[in-house]
Amino acid sequence: ETGVTQSPTHLIKTRGQQVTLRCSSQSGHNTVSWYQQALGQGPQFIFQYYREEENGRGNFPPRFSGLQFPNYSSELNVNALELDDSALYLCASSLELGRSYEQYFGPGTRLTVT
Amino acid sequence: AQSVTQLDSQVPVFEEAPVELRCNYSSSVSVYLFWYVQYPNQGLQLLLKYLSGSTLVKGINGFEAEFNKSQTSFHLRKPSVHISDTAEYFCAVTLIQGAQKLVFGQGTRLTINP
């Protein structure tokens, strides 16, 4: 069984640029959540997708957007990057919204904004 | 809104000694509780969860946690730690209804000394 995978592993961008991070959910999982983990902090919820629809959003500005595809993989897009966007971005998948509360995390993408 | 407080940012212990990592939460509605572990440069791995039933839950790697509703606590314990337990530990809650977003504490860095 393949776990959650994320790409790329590391990324360096310049302030003002745009970035796309990708996530492949665990086999059979149709719910994907994205989290931002700043250095020395706990992860913060960005948003969740269930069957290609956004199903909840944390306290992040609209320049953070996402997509979920028919195969349940997902993208996180961040526009107009700011220095404070530097963080580890974690994707997590779960089996079925409302039935399973276990979220399985990928290894993360470390984004550095200079 | 929900919040999670991990009372110790760092916990140093000697190998084979017992350890307790403390977690308190705040919520006006019922939640489920989790402990995750993060090894250096990796994503999060689920250690254990409390959904219902017995308030003492056992997880992987010899860890256990006790849910105390009256004290809104969910402390993590291990009777004898190993060097390999060195990691960051996160306590988290999620609502039973709605988007299954995890709300994390700030984390506790567990350091095992030989």
Side-chain angles (χ1 to χ4, degrees):
Chain A
E1 184 178 85
T2 305
V4 179
T5 60
Q6 293 185 243
S7 63
T9 306
H10 295 88
L11 203 51
I12 300 175
K13 289 286 189 178
T14 302
R15 190 171 48 185
Q17 285 187 317
Q18 177 267 343
V19 69
T20 297
L21 310 182
R22 294 178 175 83
C23 170
S24 291
S25 58
Q26 190 162 318
S27 178
H29 289 191
N30 59 21
T31 304
V32 173
S33 304
W34 286 90
Y35 295 83
Q36 180 196 66
Q37 185 179 18
L39 200 60
Q41 304 291 319
Q44 299 283 321
F45 175 75
I46 303 175
F47 43 56
Q48 182 180 83
Y49 280 84
Y50 171 61
R51 295 190 177 184
E52 303 178 59
E53 297 287 331
E54 187 177 290
N55 183 55
R57 188 179 181 91
N59 189 25
F60 282 81
R63 59 189 185 82
F64 285 77
S65 63
L67 281 173
Q68 188 180 31
F69 299 99
N71 65 355
Y72 304 133
S73 65
S74 178
E75 284 183 357
L76 164 65
N77 299 290
V78 187
N79 293 322
L81 284 167
E82 301 177 0
L83 296 179
D84 284 349
D85 296 333
S86 295
L88 181 68
Y89 288 85
L90 296 164
C91 169
S93 72
S94 50
L95 186 59
E96 177 73 31
L97 191 68
R99 289 190 186 178
S100 171
Y101 295 87
E102 294 186 28
Q103 295 192 23
Y104 296 84
F105 284 81
T109 293
R110 185 161 298 282
L111 173 64
T112 302
V113 182
T114 62
Chain B
Q2 296 72 47
S3 66
V4 176
T5 301
Q6 291 184 240
L7 298 161
D8 307 292
S9 59
Q10 296 186 59
V11 174
V13 295
F14 288 106
E15 196 173 15
E16 298 183 9
V19 69
E20 178 180 82
L21 306 184
R22 297 180 293 167
C23 172
N24 285 94
Y25 70 94
S26 173
S27 177
S28 57
V29 296
S30 295
V31 295
Y32 292 147
L33 299 116
F34 304 83
W35 275 98
Y36 282 85
V37 60
Q38 186 175 36
Y39 298 104
N41 300 313
Q42 294 188 29
L44 301 174
Q45 181 182 8
L46 180 66
L47 272 179
L48 49 77
K49 63 184 183 287
Y50 175 77
L51 304 183
S52 64
S54 172
T55 56
L56 182 64
V57 292
K58 294 188 183 299
I60 62 171
N61 301 341
F63 284 93
E64 63 181 33
E66 184 152 22
F67 170 57
N68 188 318
K69 189 173 183 179
S70 62
Q71 296 186 3
T72 60
S73 68
F74 190 52
H75 300 334
L76 180 71
R77 302 185 185 101
K78 185 169 182 177
S80 175
V81 296
H82 303 286
I83 292 284
S84 59
D85 293 323
T86 296
E88 190 88 18
Y89 291 80
F90 293 96
C91 180
V93 302
T94 187
L95 290 178
I96 297 173
Q97 301 292 335
Q100 293 168 202
K101 69 171 188 176
L102 288 166
V103 176
F104 287 88
Q106 294 283 82
T108 297
R109 182 171 298 278
L110 177 63
T111 305
I112 312 299
N113 299 306

